[in-house]
Amino acid sequence: NAGVMQNPRHLVRRRGQEARLRCSPMKGHSHVYWYRQLPEEGLKFMVYLQKENIIDESGMPKERFSAEFPKEGPSILRIQQVVRGDSAAYFCASSPPIDARQGASVSYNEQFFGPGTRLTVL
Amino acid sequence: LAKTTQPISMDSYEGQEVNITCSHNNIATNDYITWYQQFPSQGPRFIIQGYKTKVTNEVASLFIPADRKSSTLSLPRVSLSDTAVYYCLVVGGTALIFGKGTTLSVSS
């Protein structure tokens, strides 16, 4: 069972360009979370999605950032008109449906993280 | 949201037992105590979770006193590969709240 996949692993953009980060959750997982990590900092929650729905976006910047998790395909974190302050590692995590966690021996809200996408804005 | 406090860094030698203590004075009744491990250039990885008393798995043990205001992650006989950042989290909702964690350095 493959883990959470993220691509690209490294992304370089110039100021003003758009960045698209992709996340494929683990098989059978319907919950996706995005986090951002600045150097020497812990991860900061951005958004929580289920298929076709944004459940909690309290950590998302109000402008330029958007996320989706379509019925088919990976979850996408989109950053428009990037600025240097957007340079960070972006991690995606997934978890199974709540009613499937006990059968999968998954602890309360255990999230499985991908390897991250390192965004560098020049 | 409960805030956690843990040491910024710890040093150890191979073969020693390492105990990392975390304080969470404002933990809520429904919160679980969870520890994650993160290696450089990788995403965090779940280690262990508990609600009260003691929990043990193949990787670590977690000790939680009755008042639940603190917890201790115990790593038996660490090796060089245990060098990583360890995060203590109090989990009660969907978002995981990460602090800066404890950077554990294991030397030979």
Side-chain angles (χ1 to χ4, degrees):
Chain A
N1 187 9
V4 177
M5 309 285 284
Q6 290 189 249
N7 68 82
R9 293 294 308 276
H10 300 274
L11 182 61
V12 179
R13 285 288 178 265
R14 297 190 180 279
R15 282 179 297 170
Q17 290 184 320
E18 178 179 285
R20 280 182 176 244
L21 288 62
R22 295 173 184 77
C23 169
S24 296
M26 289 179 66
K27 185 177 180 180
H29 287 194
S30 57
H31 300 238
V32 166
Y33 314 79
W34 285 93
Y35 294 82
R36 175 166 62 176
Q37 185 174 34
L38 298 172
E40 310 301 322
E41 298 286 331
L43 283 74
K44 303 299 182 187
F45 168 77
M46 299 180 75
V47 62
Y48 162 42
L49 310 101
Q50 294 181 25
K51 283 288 187 180
E52 299 184 278
N53 289 304
I54 296 175
I55 307 302
D56 180 355
E57 55 181 349
S58 58
M60 286 280 270
K62 299 300 180 186
E63 299 178 345
R64 302 188 297 109
F65 285 71
S66 62
E68 62 178 6
F69 188 17
K71 186 177 181 180
E72 301 291 337
S75 176
I76 306 290
L77 179 67
R78 181 184 180 200
I79 311 172
Q80 296 178 288
Q81 299 175 336
V82 296
V83 301
R84 288 214 174 109
D86 296 333
S87 295
Y90 292 81
F91 291 96
C92 167
S94 72
S95 64
I98 292 174
D99 56 359
R101 289 178 189 178
Q102 188 171 2
S105 299
V106 173
S107 297
Y108 178 76
N109 198 21
E110 180 179 347
Q111 296 179 17
F112 298 79
F113 283 81
T117 293
R118 275 143 193 85
L119 172 65
T120 301
V121 179
L122 302 177
Chain B
L1 296 174
K3 180 180 177 180
T4 61
T5 302
Q6 54 184 121
I8 293 175
S9 64
M10 294 183 69
D11 296 314
S12 182
Y13 291 98
E14 286 186 290
Q16 289 187 328
E17 178 184 79
V18 171
N19 296 308
I20 306 175
T21 297
C22 176
S23 65
H24 25 80
N25 292 317
N26 298 320
I27 190 169
T29 303
N30 296 329
D31 290 339
Y32 284 79
I33 298 152
T34 309
W35 287 78
Y36 278 78
Q37 174 192 56
Q38 186 179 25
F39 297 112
S41 301
Q42 294 187 26
R45 183 177 72 104
F46 174 92
I47 300 176
I48 196 167
Q49 183 182 84
Y51 185 81
K52 60 181 178 180
T53 65
K54 177 184 175 181
V55 179
T56 297
N57 62 22
E58 65 278 5
V59 177
S61 293
L62 179 60
F63 300 91
I64 305 168
D67 66 5
R68 304 199 330 122
K69 293 183 182 300
S70 66
S71 60
T72 299
L73 175 72
S74 180
L75 304 172
R77 297 180 297 282
V78 295
S79 64
L80 296 176
S81 62
D82 291 318
T83 294
V85 179
Y86 292 82
Y87 295 99
C88 167
L89 289 79
V90 172
V91 179
T94 54
L96 298 181
I97 311 298
F98 288 84
K100 293 188 176 182
T102 297
T103 299
L104 173 64
S105 299
V106 181
S107 304
S108 58

